[in-house]
């Protein structure tokens, strides 16, 4: 039988020596476990298709852009089909990303007037369609939606919930950059990262472990960082080039030194900064949200990485708000009101939805990151291991970072099993709610429902920033394959 934990810890940092955890009010948490609607999107089941899914350019899969519907009604259908209302870099992407006859590349619009599982598309001939996501995949028809989608908008204009919904049936990334940063990223993407020379035989794994029994950093090291290190270290092409930084080496200076070696893959686990939390300093909180915190309470922020060229690396950062935050939180009602962790979650939820400053800086540099994978909300220790047998629940992450990225497969496709599990978890959750409606014992069902819902919410808040087709540079054994 699943038993609710008495306390939950999150990977948020608010100051030296603080442990951000909260008592779980059992009665409130059990009600929270079944007090929500099923998310909008799901995965369509069907026969296997012939083209390998990693071939994003194939018409059975395809690539496209998601933009907000312009507020200015002066734009024609043709203008919106060519993204003429978007920055010049986006227009170049739409013009050149796909070959004939798929130009312009599909441009979809988010309109809050539509249900969350629908998008709108305009065509140069003056027509439009409103396809349902997760249904017809590819480039073949007016109601088709490509498998690979790049959202180019801040999460106030195209909300995080749309990215979450799309990720259950598509491979999705996001860019929220100023014009210069967007131009830098698009130049690198269209040139296939020609000026970037990240070394696929070099990797950095940096993991803070504060060695406190109640702190989540130890679990993140044991379930994510160390397993990834073991996989990389055991690879004959990568092993000698892996830099594993933990214990007293999990500091900013060691990380910066390791990054200057030019690794193609960077994996970090740590707390993410979520302070100050007082209302009068919310601008300061937003400006430093999610930056990584080392074992000495120093910050891995844009200033610490000043002068470092990402050179087309891919960075996975398991830390609170490492990718950004949403306005509001799905965790309301789970944690005890007034507890410290609850106060932290509420302070972050009071901010406007945003992409965190660290990935925005790194994705917009002249030699940018290919992709950054991080979290929009905190992650909880309860979702890292199975409650009954203590088995790690992070296999999909470790396999994505090694087995799939080094094929090399597109980052969106590499993490597909992880995102696909979100829909499976919500399906389990609905079945548990149905059992309650059928008269099952709530004392048995509600704790399991709480665990399943918490895991689903936790997992769906992991997002890809950058283009979902980005791949690691190939290892020598994969070149020309």
């Amino acid at each position: 039988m699943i038993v609710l934990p008495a306390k939950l810890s999150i990977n948020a940092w608010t100051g030296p020596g603080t442990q951000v955890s909260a008592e779980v009010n059992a009665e409130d948490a059990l009600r929270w476990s079944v007090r929500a609607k099923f998310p909008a999107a799901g995965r369509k089941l069907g026969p296997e298709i012939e083209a390998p899914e990693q071939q994003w350019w194939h018409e059975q899969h395809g690539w496209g852009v998601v933009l907000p519907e312009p507020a200015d009604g002066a734009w024609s259908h043709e203008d919106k089909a060519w993204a003429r209302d978007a920055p010049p870099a986006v227009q170049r992407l739409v013009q050149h990303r796909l070959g004939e006859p798929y130009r312009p590349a599909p441009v979809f619009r988010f309109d809050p007037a539509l249900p969350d599982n629908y998008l709108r598309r305009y065509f140069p001939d003056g027509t439009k369609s409103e396809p349902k996501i997760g249904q017809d995949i590819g480039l073949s028809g007016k109601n088709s939606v490509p498998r690979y989608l790049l959202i180019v908008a801040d999460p106030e204009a195209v909300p995080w919930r749309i990215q979450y919904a799309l990720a259950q049936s598509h491979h999705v990334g996001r860019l929220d950059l100023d014009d210069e940063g967007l131009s830098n990223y698009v130049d690198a993407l269209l040139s296939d990262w020609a000026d970037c020379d990240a070394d696929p035989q070099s990797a950095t794994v940096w993991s803070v472990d504060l060695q406190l029994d109640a702190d989540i950093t130890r679990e993140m090291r044991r379930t994510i960082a160390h397993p990834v290190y073991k996989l990389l270290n055991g690879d004959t092409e990568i092993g000698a080039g892996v830099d594993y930084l933990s214990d007293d080496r999990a500091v900013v200076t060691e990380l910066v030194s390791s990054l200057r070696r030019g690794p193609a893959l960077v994996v970090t686990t740590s707390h993410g900064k979520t302070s100050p939390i007082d209302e009068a300093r919310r601008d300061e909180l937003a400006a430093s949200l999610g930056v990584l915190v080392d074992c000495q309470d120093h910050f891995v922020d844009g200033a610490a990485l000043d002068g470092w060229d990402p050179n087309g690396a891919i960075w996975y950062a398991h830390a609170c708000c490492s990718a950004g935050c949403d306005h509001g939180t799905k965790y309301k009602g789970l944690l005890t009101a007034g507890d410290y962790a609850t106060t932290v979650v509420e302070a972050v939820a009071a901010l406007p939805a945003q992409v965190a400053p660290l990935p925005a800086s790194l994705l917009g540099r002249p030699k940018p990151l290919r992709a950054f994978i991080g979290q929009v909300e905190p992650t909880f220790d309860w979702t890292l291991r199975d409650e009954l047998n203590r088995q790690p629940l992070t296999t999909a992450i470790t396999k994505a970072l090694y087995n799939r990225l080094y094929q090399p497969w597109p980052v969106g496709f590499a993490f597909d099993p992880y995102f696909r599990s979100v829909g499976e978890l919500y399906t389990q959750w609905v079945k548990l709610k149905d059992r309650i409606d059928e008269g099952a014992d709530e004392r048995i069902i509600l704790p399991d429902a709480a665990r399943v819902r918490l895991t689903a919410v936790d997992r769906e808040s992991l997002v890809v920033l950058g283009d979902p087709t980005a791949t690691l540079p190939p290892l020598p054994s994969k070149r020309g394959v």
Side-chain angles (χ1 to χ4, degrees):
M1 176 177 171
I2 299 295
V3 179
L4 283 173
K7 182 178 289 187
L8 287 173
S9 298
I10 62 177
N11 54 354
W13 184 96
T14 59
T18 58
Q19 296 181 45
V20 184
S21 61
E23 302 292 334
V24 174
N25 183 303
E27 184 177 349
D28 288 346
L30 293 177
R31 284 198 296 267
W32 173 89
S33 71
V34 292
R35 193 182 62 235
K37 296 180 180 179
F38 191 78
R43 176 171 291 269
K44 182 183 178 184
L45 301 179
E48 291 294 322
I49 53 180
E50 296 179 2
E53 198 164 322
Q54 61 267 31
Q55 293 181 2
W56 59 266
W57 57 88
H58 196 283
E59 65 177 2
Q60 290 181 344
H61 304 298
W63 176 93
V65 172
V66 179
L67 301 172
E69 184 73 70
D72 185 350
W75 301 98
S76 69
H77 283 35
E78 181 181 14
D79 290 334
K80 287 188 275 192
W82 285 97
R84 288 172 183 150
D85 58 309
V90 177
Q91 296 181 46
R92 285 191 285 120
L93 260 184
V94 170
Q95 293 168 13
H96 301 298
R97 184 65 167 147
L98 297 178
E100 297 292 351
Y102 303 112
R103 292 180 179 170
V107 177
F108 297 88
R109 304 291 177 154
F110 166 73
D111 185 342
L114 290 173
D116 279 356
N117 52 342
Y118 288 82
L119 297 171
R120 183 176 294 123
R121 183 181 177 188
Y122 297 93
F123 296 88
D125 64 6
T127 60
K128 67 179 180 181
S129 65
E130 292 179 351
K132 186 176 184 179
I133 64 177
Q135 297 302 306
D136 296 323
I137 306 293
L139 297 170
S140 59
K142 286 196 169 185
N143 283 312
S144 298
V145 179
R147 179 75 67 187
Y148 292 82
L149 293 168
L150 175 62
I151 299 170
V152 186
D154 68 71
E156 287 281 299
V158 178
W160 289 116
R161 70 176 188 276
I162 303 303
Q163 187 162 352
Y164 302 159
L166 286 168
Q168 292 183 42
S169 51
H170 299 261
H171 309 318
V172 192
R174 180 188 294 265
L175 289 174
D176 176 18
L177 305 171
D178 61 24
D179 285 354
E180 181 182 1
L182 191 59
S183 184
N184 288 339
Y185 189 91
V186 168
D187 286 345
L189 181 64
L190 289 177
S191 71
D192 197 22
W193 310 92
D195 294 331
C196 297
D197 56 3
D199 181 2
Q201 294 182 272
S202 175
T204 294
V205 180
W206 183 84
S207 182
V208 174
D209 181 352
L210 298 180
Q211 301 182 359
L212 301 171
D213 289 337
D215 191 82
I216 193 175
T217 56
R218 174 164 291 181
E219 280 292 86
M220 292 191 292
R221 178 186 179 183
R222 290 175 174 175
T223 60
I224 298 173
H226 193 68
V228 170
Y229 164 70
K230 287 177 65 178
L231 289 169
L232 294 170
N233 190 55
D235 189 287
T236 56
E237 290 185 279
I238 309 168
V242 182
D243 206 358
Y244 186 35
L245 308 172
S246 195
D247 297 321
D248 59 357
R249 296 190 68 198
V251 293
V252 175
T253 53
E254 289 270 11
L255 176 60
V256 172
S257 177
S258 183
L259 293 177
R260 295 195 187 284
R261 300 178 306 122
L265 179 67
V266 181
V267 176
T268 58
T269 66
S270 67
H271 286 306
K273 186 174 182 286
T274 53
S275 67
I277 61 174
D278 50 302
E279 186 173 355
R281 300 172 69 188
R282 291 280 164 79
D283 288 347
E284 186 179 343
L285 170 61
S288 61
L289 182 72
V291 300
L292 314 184
V293 186
D294 75 4
C295 67
Q296 298 177 352
D297 297 321
H298 298 149
F299 305 132
V300 182
D301 54 16
L305 299 178
D306 188 38
W308 174 62
D309 285 324
N311 260 324
I314 291 177
W315 189 320
Y316 176 89
H318 205 91
C320 179
C321 304
S322 58
C325 70
D326 205 353
H327 184 66
T329 176
K330 292 185 178 180
Y331 297 126
K332 185 176 182 181
L334 172 65
L335 305 176
T336 301
D339 273 13
Y340 192 53
T342 308
T343 303
V344 172
V345 169
E346 290 174 348
V348 173
L351 296 174
Q354 69 171 74
V355 168
L358 179 62
S361 169
L362 299 178
L363 288 162
R365 294 192 177 185
K367 294 183 179 182
L369 286 177
R370 279 173 163 87
F372 184 98
I373 306 100
Q375 291 168 292
V376 173
E377 293 214 51
T379 191
F380 288 84
D381 51 351
W382 203 28
T383 66
L384 296 174
R385 287 190 187 274
D386 184 85
E387 172 70 13
L388 297 179
N389 64 12
R390 305 303 296 160
Q391 177 182 355
L393 300 175
T394 52
T395 302
I397 295 174
T398 58
K399 285 188 174 182
L401 292 171
Y402 172 68
N403 303 71
R404 298 172 70 85
L405 272 182
Y406 280 94
Q407 288 305 316
W409 287 344
V411 61
F413 179 56
F415 278 86
D416 182 59
Y418 186 84
F419 293 126
R420 184 170 63 242
S421 72
V422 174
E424 295 165 356
L425 286 163
Y426 276 124
T427 299
Q428 291 179 39
W429 177 56
V430 168
K431 289 179 179 178
L432 289 168
K433 291 177 69 176
D434 289 344
R435 289 182 62 190
I436 293 173
D437 293 339
E438 293 165 1
D441 189 342
E442 290 189 0
R443 294 172 299 174
I444 297 174
I445 302 300
L446 286 177
D448 201 16
R451 177 191 61 82
V452 170
R453 186 184 174 203
L454 179 63
T455 305
V457 172
D458 183 288
R459 289 194 175 196
E460 75 176 357
S461 69
L462 187 78
V463 297
V464 174
L465 301 177
D467 192 84
T469 68
T471 63
L472 286 176
L475 292 165
S477 62
K478 299 288 186 180
R479 291 169 189 164
V481 176

